[in-house]
Amino acid sequence: MELRCTFRLEPGPGARASLARAFGCARVVWNDALTVRRAAFAAGLPFPRTAELSKSLITQAKRTTQRAWLADVSSVPLQQALRDQDRAWRAFFDSLKGSRKGAKVGAPAAESRKDSRQSVRFTSNAGWKITPAGKLSLPKIGHIPVRWSRQLPCTPSSVTVIRDGAGRYFVRTSIISSPPSWSEKTNRSPWRH
């Protein structure tokens, strides 16, 4: 079972600038991967794998002068952008074949820097943590105050930082756990406090 909880973030000016840089870098990696995959599809070449794209669009690109600024952000959100795109392509192809339930899904589109909603995801191997003071510590961004509206039952497997159209920041935690057991005596969920 996956439990997702969303909380409000209150980043300061420095953290806002670092988050904007992370959003921009993830967008550039997404768009670069989209360009490479579309070109391969048009040329009839095999579909580039995520590992190959990660090596060429992140690791090797950081060593060039044109993309050296990719090193200013953690590489995990950049890799997650590639994985998200991989999932979007898979949903598109499954939709074409008819093996996907629900409405038809279009091909992934390029992301614009003028999009009002932006997000980056940090998985557990990114080195993020929740500090004893209750702040969210993100690599190469810093400590960000969080408005905790509930207690987390365990450590999340990933966190997604979201900036909405109104300029507000949120963190969505993703917790993978076993289904909650209901108490027969109280008929209450253990998630409720």
Side-chain angles (χ1 to χ4, degrees):
M1 180 174 125
E2 187 171 4
L3 174 67
R4 293 184 182 177
C5 302
T6 304
F7 304 101
R8 182 78 183 266
L9 282 179
E10 298 172 339
R16 285 176 190 255
S18 297
L19 285 170
R21 196 169 20 254
F23 293 144
C25 289
R27 181 181 62 250
V28 166
V29 168
W30 171 280
N31 290 340
D32 288 349
L34 189 63
T35 302
V36 169
R37 284 179 164 160
R38 283 181 178 167
F41 183 72
L45 297 173
F47 201 70
R49 297 185 181 270
T50 304
E52 298 165 3
L53 291 175
S54 178
K55 184 177 179 183
S56 65
L57 299 178
I58 300 173
T59 307
Q60 293 173 350
K62 286 180 181 181
R63 297 182 186 131
T64 65
T65 56
Q66 295 88 4
R67 298 273 196 239
W69 41 266
L70 287 174
D72 294 343
V73 300
S74 173
S75 62
V76 173
L78 307 181
Q79 292 166 346
Q80 292 306 313
L82 291 176
R83 287 195 179 103
D84 290 344
Q85 190 178 102
D86 193 39
R87 194 173 310 122
W89 277 109
R90 205 171 312 124
F92 170 66
F93 289 128
D94 287 347
S95 181
L96 287 178
K97 290 189 289 187
S99 61
R100 183 182 182 277
K101 294 181 181 179
K104 293 282 185 190
V105 176
E111 291 186 355
S112 170
R113 66 180 170 184
K114 295 182 181 182
D115 284 346
S116 59
R117 189 174 188 275
Q118 301 176 357
S119 66
V120 288
R121 188 170 69 244
F122 294 86
T123 56
S124 57
N125 63 345
W128 64 269
K129 62 183 175 187
I130 299 170
T131 66
K135 294 183 178 183
L136 181 64
S137 176
L138 298 172
K140 296 192 178 183
I141 293 175
H143 300 293
I144 304 173
V146 181
R147 286 190 206 167
W148 299 105
S149 57
R150 68 169 60 186
Q151 199 174 28
L152 295 174
C154 61
T155 304
S157 60
S158 69
V159 294
T160 303
V161 178
I162 303 164
R163 181 182 182 270
D164 70 0
R168 298 173 297 191
Y169 291 84
F170 298 91
V171 61
R172 178 176 295 139
T173 61
S174 179
I175 299 169
I176 298 172
S177 65
S178 59
S181 60
W182 299 96
S183 171
E184 284 124 22
K185 291 182 181 178
T186 61
N187 199 21
R188 291 183 60 191
S189 164
W191 300 103
R192 235 168 109 190
H193 297 280

